Amino acid sequence: MATFNGLSQNPVYHKLNELAKEPFDLTMAGALNKKRISSYHAQTAGYSLLYGTQRLNHDVLTALQQLADDSQLVTQFLQMKKGEVINKIDGYESEHRQVLHTCVRDVFTGKPLHRDSAQQAKTELAKLQNFLEDLTRCTISTPDGGQFTDMILIGIGGSDLGPRALYMALNAYCLPDKRIHFISNVDPDDAAMVLRGINLKNTLVNVVSKSGTTLETLSNEELVRNAYTKSGLDPAKHFIAVTGKNSPMDNPDKYLQSFHMFDYIGGRYSATSMVGAVILSFALGYDAFIELLKGANSVDIAAEETDIRKNIPLLMALIGIWNNNFLGHQTLAILPYSQALVRFTAHLQQCDMESNGKSIDRQGRQLSYNSGPIIWGEPGTNGQHAFYQLIHQGTTTVPVEFIGFRKSQYGEDLTIKNTTSQEKLIANLLAQSIALATGREHQNPNRRFAGNRPNSVLIADQLTPFSMGALLAIYETKIAFQGFLWNINSFDQEGVQLGKVLANQLLDNLVESHTTDNTISKNDDTGKLMLKAAGII
Amino acid sequence: MATFNGLSQNPVYHKLNELAKEPFDLTMAGALNKKRISSYHAQTAGYSLLYGTQRLNHDVLTALQQLADDSQLVTQFLQMKKGEVINKIDGYESEHRQVLHTCVRDVFTGKPLHRDSAQQAKTELAKLQNFLEDLTRCTISTPDGGQFTDMILIGIGGSDLGPRALYMALNAYCLPDKRIHFISNVDPDDAAMVLRGINLKNTLVNVVSKSGTTLETLSNEELVRNAYTKSGLDPAKHFIAVTGKNSPMDNPDKYLQSFHMFDYIGGRYSATSMVGAVILSFALGYDAFIELLKGANSVDIAAEETDIRKNIPLLMALIGIWNNNFLGHQTLAILPYSQALVRFTAHLQQCDMESNGKSIDRQGRQLSYNSGPIIWGEPGTNGQHAFYQLIHQGTTTVPVEFIGFRKSQYGEDLTIKNTTSQEKLIANLLAQSIALATGREHQNPNRRFAGNRPNSVLIADQLTPFSMGALLAIYETKIAFQGFLWNINSFDQEGVQLGKVLANQLLDNLVESHTTDNTISKNDDTGKLMLKAAGII
């Protein structure tokens, strides 16, 4: 791949800085008029993005289009999907890998963009389909010969957040007799709490770790294996694995069945690989999972559109850059008006912050501009009764991405005071968007709203497996586009290494303390001093 | 109460700005030495705060002490606890109320600081105790004459987040046959999901709304009442209420039992009032709830200490001001290394951001400095596999408050590779604290950690009802101290009003659209335009 310049070297950078000195004023009378609302409206894969409530105008959009074109964002996206090695830092040791999370959903045509990885995806899907049939037919069964009803997912980070967020999002479509449980934290109380409420006999345990060496996952696996053994059950008849080929966990003696993941898919992008596939197809059925893949794939294709006004992930990426690098806002609240998306923001927090929380560019040079923002949020309307006070009247401006759906999932609703709960939900979402944008004057300064708080509304018809897949891919693709613009490697995570190294040193100190006294000597290292100060040794 | 100056009028403000030009460098060799780690260590109510990993030295602490003294923080705290009307804006219409959430735990001596409110608290506690006895004796029973096993809490914001966070934190101590469920969001899927898995016959429904008019809560109450009626059950024999005296919900005909809350306790400070009391004592037993109150009360008393080095909430408040107003960091991550605290950060997000997300001072003047930061976070070690990348290597510095415990709650643990999971958990917490502070040089720029990322470690022996109450009060008190320093009213929430007004207008538009066609006319308002653009009408 060619070397790309950073954001600040782009010819249009100074133009955008000029435009940012007087951003569009959303508080002007008539600012949110018919023309603005209807023209600041993009559509992709069943979603609409209403962005008239952002602080931008056509001049800004034209400059952002130029930024996208000059940075060849769509070209870079295509190169990624075609298997170019983009997970690297030029001139330095790095993971040096392809980035092919899109391949696991590029399985619906005879011409995938990257043939080998799509073939591997198909092989794993076929294995999964066979395994699910074995479960249905009770060829693989509980000790009593019945169907397994429960599955525990043991994983952490990318092996937990994505699958968990999607499972909760699609719980309404769950098969009636299936339940999923999650153990992730090395805190032993996490496993204890889950195990307390479960019938192990009817439960499959799905251990997920690409490396097969994740500390938390291996510890929790041992805790759960121990619980099985203590109950007189054979773990080998309950445990399955999702892991990298030839990893220490890729061991048929220990697992009923193993599914594979590959080093060209990062953990935080693995929700549509076997990492999410196994639990989601167990809980929702295989066909529902395929719908999810189709939704994601539809965005992967639509995001090749170069007109930013017709490509939601690209447009969201550029609006994010506008708010972050030109208007100076360091955080982004993602606020879904859907209780089912209760953990989706946490997944995006990982996906975005682990990808774009970087300080060097793809050539190893210090960045001269901000990269990824802090991502946070909780579902509305709940948040309205919590942190929205600060979003409306605090001293820090927080850009917001609202997400909503026209219909509920269960359809169980009542009309109270002439409107349904679903109508109240959507009315609140749109009201918040308008209130943040326009603000309100008032003679009582405490009832004054400054407005000009930038936000967008992303809306689709209903949260289904298909639209969930599309939503996931919209954000994955937005994050990739932003990484390309910042000229950073969005696909490694060297920032998690130092903590691991130090934790191992502290564990050595702890082991040592089991057998020796804990007098602090003059040469003791920080770790031992902290353990002592914290009252651990 | 006397008028207090804002932060920037304080004589020591400029001194602190000078000191902030060269904050303590945590990356120097030997910076985290024995002396620093042992002397930057405060203790309150069973908690230790290790803060050697903050970017401050004794000069800064001396200046912060002076700031606390000049602003009479402890005096203001005492005035609050004694019932002064501090929820107000001078010269403008406001709630004009006392702030007495401390009174509900000032019930253990004959001499409460504010007699009337403490007496009201005792009256409600006695009612609760009687009610629980009626449940145990089955004087109040299920239609079959048995004990109620489940309780649904219907509430939102302060009536949901605090009770939910505490229930999840203390789930390990739950009585074996009791379970709590929560419905908060106006999204009808929230109620549908909870109702799908529940036996209504054995369930009490606890509706919580101080005003008795909260849109979401009343809508969800109707949904649940409807489910009862459809199942042939009489809601009046299952529903109880926690509400303000004489609110529209204070109606004995509709509820088995009503408990009262008072206008001197804001929703976000109500977790230790009847709002939390009813579900927690149902789930954990009355005695455990009293332990929680004792823990909170111990902090309410300890926080009267004027030496900032001996008063954790006061010290945390001042360190927060140092990081926010002098070092310029606009967010704060609260990262508990305890899976049980999985929703505690969300509660604090509300408590802090709704309290201190303000732009005017107590005299109605625009602030000239930043007030409350953005609060966010997830439990460790999970977060280490997610957003920690940005905290370690991103372009934005995020101050961190770690929380941990020496022992697990369940005590179900295994030794793997010579250490228990609990030891691994704590070792990771302390390793992160050190890694963020000291950073690491490396010839590969991608493996370089800049360090100087300020953080503290708050640690206690075990998460119990007592220590949970103390932890809650530490944060409530920290937030109050910061509000005093910023000279803002931390106890109102005018910022949530505009959204409510606009939502009602949009609902009017929606009702109108049910009967008329939806042609947009030239004079249509923004709300109708947005509803149309979103495809709702």
Side-chain angles (χ1 to χ4, degrees), chain B residues 66-303:
Chain B
Q66 198 183 328
L67 189 62
D69 295 343
D70 287 346
S71 308
Q72 300 179 57
L73 296 187
V74 171
T75 306
Q76 293 191 61
F77 177 58
L78 269 165
Q79 288 171 330
M80 178 188 96
K81 291 199 295 177
K82 286 178 178 169
E84 191 134 351
V85 172
I86 63 169
N87 175 0
K88 63 170 182 175
I89 304 288
D90 292 337
Y92 295 96
E93 199 188 330
S94 67
E95 293 193 323
H96 204 82
R97 290 176 184 167
Q98 298 164 297
V99 176
L100 281 167
H101 51 276
T102 49
C103 84
V104 294
R105 47 238 196 183
D106 193 5
V107 292
F108 302 108
T109 69
K111 287 189 175 176
L113 283 177
H114 186 263
R115 190 166 297 275
D116 292 355
S117 62
Q119 190 50 53
Q120 285 176 314
K122 282 185 184 172
T123 304
E124 295 303 315
L125 282 172
K127 263 163 65 179
L128 175 58
Q129 210 172 0
N130 286 334
F131 177 69
L132 294 166
E133 279 168 18
D134 284 341
L135 295 180
T136 307
R137 290 198 216 102
C138 295
T139 324
I140 297 175
S141 73
T142 70
D144 303 333
Q147 282 204 21
F148 286 104
T149 56
D150 292 62
M151 184 180 279
I152 300 173
L153 176 69
I154 303 180
I156 194 166
S159 301
D160 169 66
L161 280 166
R164 194 192 293 241
L166 298 184
Y167 171 69
M168 296 181 85
L170 300 173
N171 200 270
Y173 307 98
C174 207
L175 299 171
D177 57 340
K178 305 293 182 194
R179 279 169 304 275
I180 309 286
H181 315 266
F182 299 87
I183 300 175
S184 53
N185 202 324
V186 77
D187 179 351
D189 289 336
D190 196 13
M193 189 152 0
V194 169
L195 291 174
R196 199 163 68 156
I198 224 163
N199 183 346
L200 295 181
K201 211 174 60 179
N202 300 333
T203 301
L204 286 166
V205 183
N206 178 11
V207 188
V208 183
S209 166
K210 186 159 71 175
S211 67
T213 62
T214 312
L215 169 85
E216 288 88 343
T217 302
L218 297 188
S219 301
N220 280 318
E221 181 178 5
E222 280 312 305
L223 277 170
V224 179
R225 281 185 182 271
N226 186 53
Y228 269 84
T229 311
K230 270 173 38 186
S231 306
L233 294 163
D234 178 4
K237 293 184 176 154
H238 292 263
F239 278 57
I240 62 176
V242 178
T243 190
K245 229 169 186 163
N246 306 318
S247 92
M249 264 174 57
D250 192 15
N251 176 356
D253 297 342
K254 284 179 68 183
Y255 302 97
L256 259 176
Q257 174 85 53
S258 292
F259 299 98
H260 290 124
M261 45 206 295
F262 301 92
D263 69 4
Y264 49 73
I265 302 185
R268 57 193 175 273
Y269 294 96
S270 68
T272 52
S273 77
M274 283 300 115
V275 171
V278 176
I279 68 149
L280 292 172
S281 56
F282 177 80
L284 311 171
Y286 183 78
D287 293 347
F289 180 70
I290 294 298
E291 278 301 299
L292 181 96
L293 293 186
K294 283 185 178 163
N297 182 240
S298 74
V299 170
D300 294 341
I301 293 166

Side-chain angles (χ1 to χ4, degrees), chain A residues 184-185 187 189 216 339 343 350 359 378 380 382 385 389 393 406 409-410 423 446 492 495 514 534, chain B residues 184-185 187 189 216 339 343 350 359 378 380-382 385 389 393 406 409-410 423 446 492 495 514 534:
Chain A
S184 54
N185 203 323
D187 179 351
D189 289 337
E216 288 88 343
Q339 192 59 27
R343 295 305 289 162
Q350 161 180 54
S359 289
E378 293 282 335
N382 290 15
H385 296 259
Q389 164 69 40
Q393 290 190 320
R406 296 179 195 101
Q409 290 182 314
Y410 288 88
E423 288 177 321
N446 206 23
D492 65 357
H514 294 160
Chain B
S184 53
N185 202 324
D187 179 351
D189 289 336
E216 288 88 343
Q339 191 59 27
R343 294 306 288 161
Q350 161 181 55
S359 290
E378 292 282 334
T381 58
N382 291 16
H385 295 259
Q389 165 67 41
Q393 290 190 320
R406 296 180 195 100
Q409 289 183 315
Y410 288 88
E423 288 177 321
N446 206 22
D492 64 358
H514 295 162

Side-chain angles (χ1 to χ4, degrees), chain B residues 330-535:
Chain B
Q330 293 173 22
T331 78
L332 171 66
I334 299 177
L335 308 177
Y337 275 62
S338 162
Q339 191 59 27
L341 291 179
V342 60
R343 294 306 288 161
F344 187 58
T345 299
H347 172 60
L348 295 180
Q349 186 177 60
Q350 161 181 55
C351 201
D352 196 321
M353 293 174 70
E354 194 166 44
S355 295
N356 290 341
K358 307 285 166 70
S359 290
I360 61 159
D361 70 13
R362 290 185 277 194
Q363 288 73 45
R365 299 168 301 204
Q366 199 69 26
L367 294 180
S368 61
Y369 43 82
N370 275 346
S371 57
I374 292 151
I375 307 288
W376 62 282
E378 292 282 334
T381 58
N382 291 16
Q384 292 177 201
H385 295 259
F387 53 82
Y388 277 41
Q389 165 67 41
L390 184 146
I391 297 186
H392 282 287
Q393 290 190 320
T395 48
T396 301
T397 297
V398 179
V400 174
E401 288 174 2
F402 293 104
I403 302 171
F405 302 92
R406 296 180 195 100
K407 294 181 203 154
S408 67
Q409 289 183 315
Y410 288 88
E412 290 167 19
D413 208 339
L414 277 185
T415 297
I416 300 167
K417 293 189 184 166
N418 299 314
T419 56
T420 63
S421 286
Q422 180 64 25
E423 288 177 321
K424 292 180 180 77
L425 180 67
I426 284 288
N428 271 278
L429 186 169
L430 296 173
Q432 292 295 331
S433 169
I434 298 168
L436 288 169
T438 62
R440 185 183 69 182
E441 268 306 317
H442 202 286
Q443 63 203 30
N444 183 334
N446 206 22
R447 296 180 184 163
R448 196 175 290 154
F449 292 78
N452 274 324
R453 313 259 164 156
N455 68 86
S456 304
V457 176
L458 185 62
I459 189 163
D461 207 44
Q462 190 177 34
L463 186 58
T464 62
F466 186 93
S467 67
M468 183 67 246
L471 184 62
L472 179 72
I474 283 173
Y475 274 96
E476 288 178 352
T477 312
K478 173 199 167 188
I479 293 164
F481 282 137
Q482 291 195 328
F484 298 151
L485 261 169
W486 286 316
N487 190 32
I488 60 179
N489 177 8
S490 302
F491 305 102
D492 64 358
Q493 53 283 321
E494 289 289 345
V496 308
Q497 295 306 325
L498 177 58
K500 282 189 196 173
V501 171
L502 288 177
N504 283 329
Q505 287 175 13
L506 265 73
L507 285 168
D508 289 344
N509 285 327
L510 262 170
V511 171
E512 194 189 317
S513 79
H514 295 162
T515 51
T516 58
D517 76 15
N518 299 315
T519 321
I520 298 284
S521 74
K522 218 181 157 186
N523 299 318
D524 268 327
D525 65 9
T526 311
K528 191 168 175 190
L529 292 167
M530 287 287 279
L531 283 164
K532 189 90 181 168

